[in-house]
Amino acid sequence: MEYALGVDIGGTKVAIGLVDKTGFVKEQSIIPTDLSIPPEDMIYRINSEIRKIISKTDLSKGELKGIGIGAPGPLDIKNGLITCPPNLHTWINIPIQRLIEKEFPYPVKLENDANAAALAEKWVGAGKENENFIYMTISTGIGSGIMVDGKLLHGYRGNAGDVGHMVVDTSFGKCTCGQYGCLEAIASGTAIATEGSNIVGEKLTTKEVFDLFKEGHPQIVAYMEKVLRVLGIACVSLINTFDTEKIVIGGGVSKVGEPLFQPIRDYVEAHALNPEGRLTEIVPSKLDQNTGVVGSAALWLL
């Protein structure tokens, strides 16, 4: 059996898993992303978890093909660098590929985390039957992986699909990237929890904001209707631009289910330019929270 290690680096946590050639996660570890320490120290912790996972499994020589890293952009995937991600604000030009590769006798590949997740959806998830689809993650931040004619759209440096910093409504204020009205600053889990807490006057999680939305809290309903409209605008823009078959939505926010998905579908049905585009499927990920790990491992197993 062939295996690969997938490392999914996020703004709040890092997931590390051993994945087999069917996409099954055999072993997994999740550790918090500590932004109070130097990036090199955080990578040391990641390497320690990789060692633990390898030590738990009795792999014969040659079974482990390599280590795949999915990380938030901007990246320089040609040189293995995390360059300046807004949600990892101290990670500037970090040679993560080299820092992991030097600790293990395995080759390492770096990929944008949303691109890696799109690979996972194509391999064993909701995009398995599609040659043209977009995976959009809504979590700490927002990003996307764009599959065109069965291949990932990378762009010049590997950063294509960074839709979280697509400006959709400047009235919502300033984003961490410096622009006003970015999708991520409006509709990420972080943004929803922050603004929902401000409205109610107490600290809320994203789920609790959605719970109040479902319960009909007047101010939260008015706010969330704007957020969901913005997500609909973003999906229509992607459909109009890429003429895609399907948009797969993953990440923690997607777990709220139909209160998220149905308003987006309604907006797309009303506003996509092409009549066929209005029928674009808007579906949840089929991989729960393992999308990033499976996708990072897919860099070696596909």
Side-chain angles (χ1 to χ4, degrees):
M1 177 76 79
E2 291 183 345
Y3 296 89
L5 270 161
V7 180
D8 181 31
I9 300 174
T12 56
K13 63 182 174 62
V14 178
I16 304 148
L18 183 70
V19 181
D20 69 22
K21 66 178 182 181
T22 70
F24 175 72
V25 181
K26 185 175 181 181
E27 292 283 347
Q28 185 168 0
S29 174
I30 297 175
I31 59 174
T33 303
D34 189 345
L35 297 178
S36 70
I37 62 175
E40 293 81 2
D41 291 350
M42 188 63 218
I43 294 168
Y44 175 84
R45 293 182 185 179
I46 293 170
N47 285 337
S48 297
E49 292 301 312
I50 291 173
R51 284 192 193 90
K52 288 177 187 177
I53 289 176
I54 292 173
S55 69
K56 285 181 183 179
T57 55
D58 186 22
L59 299 180
S60 62
K61 186 177 180 180
E63 280 191 301
L64 186 58
K65 306 300 289 183
I67 299 170
I69 309 162
L75 307 175
D76 179 350
I77 62 172
K78 294 176 183 176
N79 294 302
L81 302 175
I82 295 178
T83 57
C84 54
N87 292 322
L88 298 172
H89 57 272
T90 61
W91 292 51
I92 307 299
N93 293 324
I94 301 301
I96 188 167
Q97 185 170 323
R98 178 176 60 79
L99 291 173
I100 292 180
E101 202 162 40
K102 74 175 186 177
E103 298 295 322
F104 301 98
Y106 308 108
V108 177
K109 290 181 181 179
L110 175 65
E111 180 60 271
N112 178 276
D113 53 358
N115 282 347
L119 275 181
E121 295 292 345
K122 176 62 178 169
W123 183 18
V124 290
K128 194 172 182 180
E129 305 302 322
N130 306 101
E131 293 295 289
N132 294 273
F133 73 92
I134 295 170
Y135 173 82
M136 182 163 66
T137 179
I138 308 175
S139 190
T140 305
I142 294 179
S144 75
I146 301 166
M147 196 71 69
V148 177
D149 296 335
K151 296 179 181 179
L152 274 175
L153 180 65
H154 276 103
Y156 179 54
R157 296 179 182 85
N159 294 306
D162 201 348
V163 299
H165 298 283
M166 173 171 64
V167 173
V168 286
D169 189 338
T170 56
S171 70
F172 275 85
K174 195 172 185 179
C175 178
T176 55
C177 75
Q179 293 196 104
Y180 286 80
C182 287
L183 179 62
E184 181 170 298
I186 300 168
S188 66
T190 306
I192 291 169
T194 299
E195 187 58 27
S197 299
N198 291 339
I199 290 169
V200 174
E202 62 180 273
K203 190 170 179 59
L204 300 175
T205 64
T206 308
K207 181 182 181 302
E208 288 168 339
V209 176
F210 269 96
D211 287 343
L212 289 175
F213 175 56
K214 287 186 282 187
E215 291 166 12
H217 185 290
Q219 291 171 290
I220 292 293
V221 167
Y223 162 65
M224 285 305 303
E225 284 178 348
K226 293 178 182 177
V227 170
L228 294 168
R229 179 175 177 273
V230 162
L231 284 169
I233 290 168
C235 287
V236 165
S237 295
L238 292 173
I239 291 164
N240 289 349
T241 303
F242 295 101
D243 192 26
T244 194
E245 300 172 64
K246 179 184 287 185
I247 294 178
V248 180
I249 300 178
V253 176
S254 70
K255 302 308 166 191
V256 303
E258 286 306 295
L260 173 76
F261 283 88
Q262 196 54 54
I264 295 173
R265 292 186 187 115
D266 290 343
Y267 192 92
V268 168
E269 287 174 10
H271 296 290
L273 183 63
N274 190 317
E276 291 188 358
R278 296 171 198 156
L279 304 177
T280 303
E281 294 181 78
I282 314 291
V283 302
S285 165
K286 286 188 176 179
L287 296 175
D288 196 38
Q289 295 300 304
N290 286 328
T291 314
V293 167
V294 173
S296 299
L299 296 171
W300 289 104
L301 296 173
L302 288 184

